[in-house]
Amino acid sequence: MGDAEIIPIGTRGRPGRGAGQQPSSAARGLATGGKPPARRAVTPDEPDPVTGEEVEAAETGAGTTSEIEVPERAPVTTRERGPHAGIPTSDWLAAFQYAAREVFGEQWEPQLARFLAFLRRRVTGDYVVDEYGFDQEIAQRFFMAALRPIAQKWFRIEVRGAENIPTDGGALVVSNHSGTVPVDGLMTMVSIHDHTGRFLRPLGADLVFRMPVVSTMARKGGATLACNEDAERMLRGGELVGVWPEGFKGIGKPYSDRYKLQRFGRGGFVSAALRTGVPIVPLSVVGAEEIYPLVGNIPSLARLLGIPYIPITPLFPLLGPLGLVPLPSKWLLEFGEPIRTDDFEAGAADDPMLVFNVTDQVRETIQQTLYSLLMKRQSVFR
């Protein structure tokens, strides 16, 4: 190697390999997207020019005269990659039928057909909503279906005197109110529907219809604002209307005052019943007082939020969201004998003394029934 010639690469500013103004053909060939250097055409009698790499290989003795042959690899197909090309259609159908039986029962085909028909009506708008926003199909398929397991399995509601509810025509159901959260109204709705087939139309407070999502659900479930005008129109239309005269004073009373009825307002519900001549059905509910035992309140925060009260129970807010789960108390619902109002003279609704006497009669009937049910109940939870 002592006689090897050293080729300077652009030293001292002289143009050389890699130092000239124009890139070499080899550099242009290495560039991305560049074209390989064009080779001069060689005639049959002229030997092929030798490249620099071949000369260097010949000088070093590293070149070989034979090329290494690489065997061609057979193309890989999808079948060879995965022996299980896909799930057969019969397996998909069997899985679908099994899932449908689990969801809809053995009679899954008609159930599924009814569900698809329901979806079609919802998409096309082919359903009925009354003037108050009540959607009977939504109430029956979703609200009642969601509340029924809670009423039957969690609270184990026992209903008595359901035969006192009129099978048709207008009637006014008057009930006590308790439980910190108005769960008793929802349980009354599903109990009446399951025992009579009728939908109870509750009269709700203003707060219910000021809440964005709750107001829409309440309207679709059959509730309307608690005012005499709407109540009288519903009663004249033959609806079964429910009212809880104690209001927030009933559900927000402390646990120490459980099952002691609060004042029944000014008797507006009695005036509506007298003007329309419908019967008043007293309802006594035992069990709702124990689901959220109210032991405290935060009135300053309640006034700031614009709500009647901030409840404090033995489990809330101590346990956080877990404290919102109601206790599984045993419920008893008893419907008393209807109080007729069609026997009174015309204009009786404008007599304050008569309205007061009928209101007090309804209140005393519910209070005495509550005491009787408490004596019959074995314990809070059974």
Side-chain angles (χ1 to χ4, degrees):
M1 298 298 290
D3 57 349
E5 181 182 359
I6 299 175
I7 301 175
I9 303 177
T11 59
R12 290 186 297 276
R14 295 194 301 272
R17 293 179 62 185
Q21 299 298 325
Q22 298 294 333
S24 63
S25 60
R28 289 195 299 271
L30 292 175
T32 304
K35 297 181 179 180
R39 298 186 62 182
R40 184 174 57 84
V42 181
T43 60
D45 298 335
E46 183 180 359
D48 195 16
V50 181
T51 62
E53 290 81 4
E54 293 176 352
V55 173
E56 185 177 357
E59 292 177 350
T60 58
T64 57
T65 57
S66 62
E67 296 182 358
I68 300 175
E69 295 183 359
V70 179
E72 293 185 359
R73 184 170 179 269
V76 179
T77 62
T78 306
R79 182 182 301 276
E80 293 174 346
R81 284 184 180 179
H84 304 289
I87 301 176
T89 307
S90 59
D91 293 349
W92 280 110
L93 292 176
F96 176 77
Q97 292 176 359
Y98 177 78
R101 282 195 299 269
E102 290 294 321
V103 175
F104 299 103
E106 292 298 330
Q107 302 295 328
W108 64 272
E109 292 185 358
Q111 292 281 357
L112 180 59
R114 284 192 289 268
F115 179 71
L116 294 177
F118 167 77
L119 292 181
R120 179 184 59 80
R121 289 193 298 272
R122 290 287 136 182
V123 173
T124 59
D126 186 17
Y127 55 91
V128 179
V129 177
D130 69 2
E131 56 182 325
Y132 306 100
F134 174 51
D135 192 331
Q136 180 173 334
E137 192 172 35
I138 288 290
Q140 183 170 1
R141 287 183 173 271
F142 290 95
F143 294 160
M144 298 300 168
L147 296 173
R148 189 170 292 113
I150 301 176
Q152 296 177 352
K153 305 298 184 182
W154 190 254
F155 295 130
R156 308 172 306 281
I157 296 180
E158 180 181 341
V159 178
R160 303 176 181 180
E163 63 277 2
N164 292 322
I165 302 175
T167 56
D168 55 5
L172 184 64
V173 177
V174 182
S175 175
N176 60 307
H177 213 12
S178 60
T180 306
V181 178
V183 180
D184 54 350
L186 301 176
M187 296 299 103
T188 301
M189 292 173 62
V190 67
S191 299
I192 290 178
H193 181 266
D194 289 348
H195 286 79
T196 65
R198 302 191 65 178
F199 289 95
L200 182 68
R201 308 296 299 273
L203 300 179
D206 299 350
L207 178 62
V208 175
F209 299 97
R210 290 202 305 264
M211 304 172 70
V213 178
V214 176
S215 62
T216 303
M217 296 177 61
R219 290 284 186 187
K220 289 187 176 296
T224 190
L225 187 64
C227 62
N228 281 1
E229 291 77 9
D230 286 352
E232 292 177 14
R233 278 196 302 162
M234 281 187 172
L235 292 172
R236 288 193 179 97
E239 299 287 352
L240 183 65
V241 180
V243 63
W244 291 262
E246 293 178 278
F248 290 112
K249 300 188 302 294
I251 59 176
K253 63 178 179 289
Y255 186 69
S256 58
D257 295 336
R258 58 190 180 278
Y259 301 114
K260 296 178 182 178
L261 295 183
Q262 305 299 302
R263 193 173 68 90
F264 269 23
R266 295 185 296 270
F269 68 95
V270 173
S271 300
L274 290 172
R275 289 192 179 95
T276 56
V278 299
I280 299 175
V281 181
L283 169 62
S284 303
V285 178
V286 167
E289 295 276 15
E290 291 84 9
I291 61 173
Y292 297 112
L294 187 64
V295 297
N297 186 17
I298 310 177
S300 57
L301 183 58
R303 287 193 298 268
L304 182 63
L305 298 177
I307 56 180
Y309 54 88
I310 299 291
I312 298 177
T313 70
L315 302 180
F316 181 83
L318 180 62
L319 299 183
L322 187 61
L324 298 176
V325 178
L327 296 178
S329 59
K330 169 69 176 179
W331 284 39
L332 300 175
L333 273 65
E334 182 167 332
F335 296 90
E337 294 184 2
I339 301 174
R340 300 187 58 177
T341 61
D342 54 354
D343 293 338
F344 295 98
E345 299 178 355
D350 299 325
D351 186 353
M353 286 303 300
L354 178 60
V355 172
F356 175 80
N357 291 333
V358 177
T359 303
D360 189 63
Q361 178 185 357
V362 175
R363 185 181 180 278
E364 286 300 318
T365 300
I366 297 175
Q367 184 67 82
Q368 295 302 320
T369 306
L370 288 175
Y371 290 149
S372 175
L373 291 175
L374 289 172
M375 294 294 293
K376 296 177 182 177
R377 188 174 64 166
Q378 297 179 5
S379 69
V380 174
F381 299 105
R382 63 185 180 92

